[in-house]
Amino acid sequence: FLDSIIEHIPSMVFVKEAESLRFVRFNEAGEKLLGIPRSELIGKSDRDFFPPEQADFFVAKDREVLASDSVVDIPEEPIKTARGERLLHTRKIPIRDDQGRPKYLLGISEDITEARAAEAERRRDEARLRAETEKARDAALVLAQAKSEFLANMSHEIRTPMNGVIGMTALLLDTELAPDQRSYAEAVRSSAESLLDVINDIL
């Protein structure tokens, strides 16, 4: 029953002998992940399969685990396999005998390569979205500034002469005018005021 459970765990499960750090147990998921038959793994150590620098890292972590009384969590552990380099999330814990001495080391490794790649892609998408948002915001600010400048210019350039027409017409109406002239001047002032109202509404 226990063998069946270990074999069906989707993560790599391995057990090493504490003294020699040689593998004594490997499940099917671990065999598939490494791409190495279990018959070649059992009785061997990390130094038989991995580059010296990587094997030294594994051994150092294993010794750290055996010296502790708790789970050692390794969030990201790069490993070279037959499928290329993979990224593992590994947890290791010592298994002790009745006298409390470490007898075995149990390791469980989850392949997080695709998850990390997806996370990196998501971060790139978020960065790209932020850049596009900032670009759109900057463009909107430029447009708003241009709009404000346009309205200010139009307000000055159009209102000023219109106020001049209305003002001069008012002065003209304060003088002595023939009836026809007064009628014309009042028509000019009325039209100018109507036009100024339209300009104000547009602006």
Side-chain angles (χ1 to χ4, degrees):
F1 177 67
L2 182 58
D3 285 344
S4 179
I5 290 175
I6 293 173
E7 283 304 301
H8 286 86
I9 291 175
S11 299
M12 178 170 69
V13 176
F14 58 90
V15 178
K16 295 178 181 179
E17 194 274 322
E19 184 64 30
S20 65
L21 292 180
R22 294 185 181 279
F23 293 107
V24 296
R25 186 67 191 257
F26 235 94
N27 72 342
E28 184 180 353
E31 188 179 34
K32 289 180 178 178
L33 175 62
L34 295 183
I36 303 173
R38 272 178 280 189
S39 58
E40 296 180 19
L41 289 165
I42 302 303
K44 303 290 182 63
S45 71
D46 290 322
R47 298 188 191 282
D48 295 313
F49 303 102
F50 302 110
E53 184 177 344
Q54 193 169 48
D56 289 343
F57 173 79
F58 293 150
V59 169
K61 279 295 179 184
D62 289 348
R63 294 300 179 197
E64 179 186 332
V65 171
L66 293 170
S68 71
D69 289 320
S70 59
V71 175
V72 172
D73 190 298
I74 309 169
E76 292 188 0
E77 186 177 47
I79 184 173
K80 294 185 184 299
T81 73
R83 299 165 55 197
E85 185 166 295
R86 310 297 292 176
L87 194 61
L88 306 182
H89 178 193
T90 300
R91 299 173 181 86
K92 296 179 178 180
I93 189 169
I95 299 175
R96 301 182 180 277
D97 60 19
D98 294 339
Q99 286 73 44
R101 292 172 300 199
K103 188 173 179 63
Y104 298 104
L105 178 143
L106 168 65
I108 302 175
S109 297
E110 178 187 1
D111 188 348
I112 59 172
T113 309
E114 280 74 22
R116 285 292 183 270
E119 183 180 344
E121 180 63 25
R122 180 183 58 78
R123 286 197 297 266
R124 285 193 293 271
D125 289 343
E126 288 177 350
R128 189 160 48 244
L129 180 60
R130 282 196 301 271
E132 291 173 356
T133 301
E134 290 175 1
K135 184 177 179 181
R137 184 194 61 199
D138 292 343
L141 290 174
V142 170
L143 183 62
Q145 180 65 26
K147 176 183 171 183
S148 296
E149 292 175 358
F150 171 78
L151 291 176
N153 289 335
M154 289 301 96
S155 178
H156 175 74
E157 298 297 331
I158 297 177
R159 282 195 180 107
T160 298
M162 286 305 303
N163 285 328
V165 171
I166 293 171
M168 292 301 101
T169 305
L171 292 175
L172 179 62
L173 288 169
D174 286 340
T175 63
E176 292 185 7
L177 297 172
D180 288 347
Q181 291 174 324
R182 181 168 296 278
S183 176
Y184 299 152
E186 287 176 349
V188 169
R189 182 174 66 178
S190 176
S191 296
E193 289 175 346
S194 296
L195 183 55
L196 185 60
D197 288 339
V198 172
I199 291 169
N200 288 336
D201 289 343
I202 292 173
L203 293 177

